[in-house]
Amino acid sequence: MTSRDKPPLPPYFGIDPAQAAGRLPDPVGTTRFAKAAAFASRGREELARAGHAPDGRKRLRRFSTWEVCRYLIPVAPAHFRRVLKVQPELPQGVGEGNSKWFTLEDVMALRDHFASEGAAHREYRPYRPEGLDAKILAVANFKGGVGKTSTCAHLAMSAALDGYKVLVIDLDSQGSMTSIMGGQVEDEWSTAFPILARDFAQNLLDENKVREARGEAPVPLDETLTEALEVSPRNLIQPTHWSNIDLIGAQLNLYWAEFQVPVWRMQNRSWALWDALLNGLESDGILKDYDLIFLDTPPALGYLTINALSAADILIVPLGASFLEFDSTGRFFDMLYSTFASIEEGENAQRRKLGLEDVRFEWDAVRTLITRFDAAQQTDLANVIQAYFGDLMTTFRQDMTAMVGQAGEQVNGIYEADYRDFNRDTYVRGRETFDQTWAEIKELIIGAWWKDEREARNGEA
């Protein structure tokens, strides 16, 4: 065999060190990171504006008669048109002939009309017991890229289309949920950070009263804590382009909380840091203002995630049907157990000394959810994951469709996509992926509310 007949060597053989050194750029310093961040920020703004209104703000599209009757209000299209014709005071939509398009506000007004005038056996408004607090749902997993934000956003949008009033709280400093919802966040004082800071400041004020009663000097509050006492969680809430979804957004400086919270905890060991977020929502009556609150968490089991999990009534854990994501999710549950069992043990040791009842962390429901599912390649592994997680697993798996991918590229949710941009069957399949997920989660919410309502009635009796 001649040298010409020999197969070529792989490209990583025969690398000349001098030539490799000559191709190296100048050493990279930290200023290059700042330059890259600036370029990315500019690009992010340009991409986020793509498809938005000329002023750069997001607008929610209108919904056709077909969509309203198929997905939003249980009424036949012909009867729907007749009702609008004989009652011109109702929202009439825009468009010619039978092709009418309605805003979400129009849909809500029409819901109210059919709820009062329509068939008694149909559900025009979603189940919601009066007098009970909002249900809080946290979407969490410390494995990145499993679809947390996408799942959280689509659950919030599903709930809004269903007629619920929704608050979304973005606890991930990457701010992806904030981008999807079109939020504008200037600094950490417009995020959930001041909620945590205010809770610690109030705890410190209470502790100072005890210290003064013992004749000890109070612990002074620094500028951050003093300012936090003036911030109402209500002031952090901003409207979105969805008329019944509000947002507490996030941005990079929110990550400061992960460093500041443990410092505060060391200053005052009596501070229950895990309750700070829930305390803030309760103290300002926010749990009474909304039906559902969705918490999007960072890909880490840090202090922000711990607050979200502690506040949550229902925990959703997305994962892909791969070994690494299954393994990582198992470790996530292990860390959840270690973290919350440790808190219970430490707290209850002190509470028993004071003759107080033990504290326990409990959730109405916990579900793992397979996202980005490819039935042709992942069914066997998904079935194995289903077998191991058992009753913690949702029965439906979110398919990865072309529509799902396109919506993500456009920084939109599937429900924000106009079905006229797709083959209608493609739209129906893409939407069904999230409709089915919402159906399972909604059943958990309704069941939990029903139990709460019965307990409340029994307590009154």
Side-chain angles (χ1 to χ4, degrees):
M1 180 182 290
T2 65
S3 60
R4 284 183 184 177
D5 298 326
K6 292 180 179 178
L9 291 171
Y12 50 83
F13 280 100
I15 296 175
D16 182 273
Q19 291 180 357
R23 294 191 182 99
L24 281 178
D26 293 335
V28 178
T30 55
T31 54
R32 185 63 182 87
F33 297 155
K35 188 176 181 180
F39 281 135
S41 176
R42 189 184 312 163
R44 181 170 59 248
E45 292 172 1
E46 291 175 359
L47 289 172
R49 281 196 298 267
H52 296 183
D55 61 2
R57 302 292 293 180
K58 297 191 79 168
R59 302 282 192 277
L60 183 61
R61 66 178 180 87
R62 295 174 183 264
F63 299 88
S64 70
T65 300
W66 170 74
E67 289 178 283
V68 171
C69 296
R70 173 160 183 159
Y71 295 114
L72 304 178
I73 303 176
V75 60
H79 178 63
F80 180 76
R81 294 187 182 102
R82 281 195 301 271
V83 170
L84 296 189
K85 186 175 182 179
V86 300
Q87 301 198 48
E89 72 278 5
L90 292 175
Q92 299 293 309
V94 297
E96 300 298 328
N98 290 335
S99 181
K100 298 288 188 178
W101 293 78
F102 302 84
T103 66
L104 187 56
E105 293 90 336
D106 292 340
V107 173
M108 296 306 166
L110 291 167
R111 271 186 198 277
D112 291 339
H113 170 77
F114 282 102
S116 60
E117 304 292 336
H121 65 282
R122 294 197 174 179
E123 182 186 299
Y124 298 104
R125 291 197 193 105
Y127 174 79
R128 170 67 161 104
E130 292 185 11
L132 296 184
D133 287 346
K135 281 295 178 186
I136 302 176
L137 293 88
V139 183
N141 195 335
F142 65 21
K143 181 77 170 69
V146 297
K148 290 191 302 298
T149 299
S150 175
T151 297
C152 189
H154 283 100
L155 287 174
M157 292 175 187
S158 297
L161 290 175
D162 224 351
Y164 288 116
K165 188 176 182 183
V166 175
L167 173 65
V168 174
I169 303 179
D170 190 353
L171 295 173
D172 186 351
S173 57
Q174 296 177 82
S176 299
M177 175 65 81
T178 303
S179 295
I180 291 173
M181 301 311 303
Q184 302 292 320
V185 181
E186 294 183 3
D187 55 31
E188 68 274 14
W189 288 97
S190 298
T191 71
F193 172 76
I195 298 179
L196 310 185
R198 189 179 80 157
D199 189 70
F200 175 71
Q202 290 173 334
N203 178 270
L204 203 55
L205 290 178
D206 292 340
E207 183 68 19
N208 279 342
K209 292 178 182 177
V210 176
R211 294 174 64 89
E212 289 174 356
R214 294 198 300 250
E216 300 174 5
V219 177
L221 274 65
D222 61 23
E223 183 180 350
T224 296
L225 298 178
T226 302
E227 185 174 350
L229 286 171
E230 303 301 319
V231 177
S232 166
R234 289 181 177 276
N235 297 338
L236 307 173
I237 297 173
Q238 57 180 290
T240 72
H241 56 296
W242 287 72
S243 59
N244 53 349
I245 300 181
D246 290 338
L247 170 74
I248 296 179
Q251 57 103 254
L252 189 61
N253 289 351
L254 175 60
Y255 197 70
W256 183 31
E258 298 291 357
F259 300 97
Q260 189 62 59
V261 167
V263 173
W264 289 335
R265 171 70 171 177
M266 290 299 293
Q267 282 183 258
N268 189 359
R269 302 291 296 182
S270 69
W271 179 48
L273 65 90
W274 47 88
D275 283 338
L277 178 62
L278 182 59
N279 289 343
L281 298 177
E282 286 179 334
S283 64
D284 272 36
I286 293 173
L287 296 183
K288 301 295 184 185
D289 292 344
Y290 294 90
D291 301 315
L292 298 170
I293 298 176
F294 290 89
L295 309 177
D296 186 39
T297 64
L301 189 56
Y303 296 106
L304 290 166
T305 301
I306 288 173
N307 262 274
L309 299 179
S310 176
D313 300 296
I314 295 173
L315 170 60
I316 310 298
V317 183
L319 75 155
S322 75
F323 170 79
L324 290 179
E325 293 184 37
F326 171 57
D327 181 52
S328 177
T329 302
R331 296 175 192 275
F332 177 65
F333 279 120
D334 189 29
M335 287 190 68
L336 289 184
Y337 167 73
S338 300
T339 300
F340 286 100
S342 175
I343 294 173
E344 286 177 343
E345 183 179 352
E347 287 298 294
N348 290 334
Q350 295 299 319
R351 294 176 69 87
R352 287 165 192 157
K353 292 179 182 178
L354 300 172
L356 300 175
E357 185 178 348
D358 282 1
V359 63
R360 292 182 61 195
F361 290 98
E362 289 186 332
W363 292 264
D364 291 331
V366 177
R367 289 292 183 274
T368 52
L369 165 68
I370 289 181
T371 60
R372 300 170 290 109
F373 178 62
D374 182 349
Q377 300 185 37
Q378 298 179 322
T379 297
D380 288 344
L381 184 52
N383 289 340
V384 172
I385 294 173
Q386 189 98 30
Y388 278 106
F389 280 142
D391 61 356
L392 286 183
M393 201 88 197
T394 59
T395 57
F396 186 77
R397 299 161 185 172
Q398 282 186 3
D399 294 322
M400 182 63 189
T401 68
M403 185 181 169
V404 173
Q406 184 171 330
E409 291 171 4
Q410 296 176 351
V411 201
N412 283 326
I414 275 193
Y415 300 115
E416 297 174 320
D418 191 326
Y419 68 83
R420 293 172 295 182
D421 296 335
F422 305 88
N423 172 286
R424 186 172 289 196
D425 290 339
T426 300
Y427 176 83
V428 170
R429 286 197 304 272
R431 177 176 177 136
E432 184 183 49
T433 285
F434 293 98
D435 285 345
Q436 291 277 15
T437 298
W438 169 239
E440 285 204 51
I441 302 306
K442 182 180 178 182
E443 184 176 22
L444 299 176
I445 295 167
I446 289 176
W449 259 332
W450 189 89
K451 289 177 64 177
D452 292 347
E453 188 177 30
R454 292 303 178 275
E455 290 175 4
R457 288 180 180 176
N458 292 336
E460 291 173 1

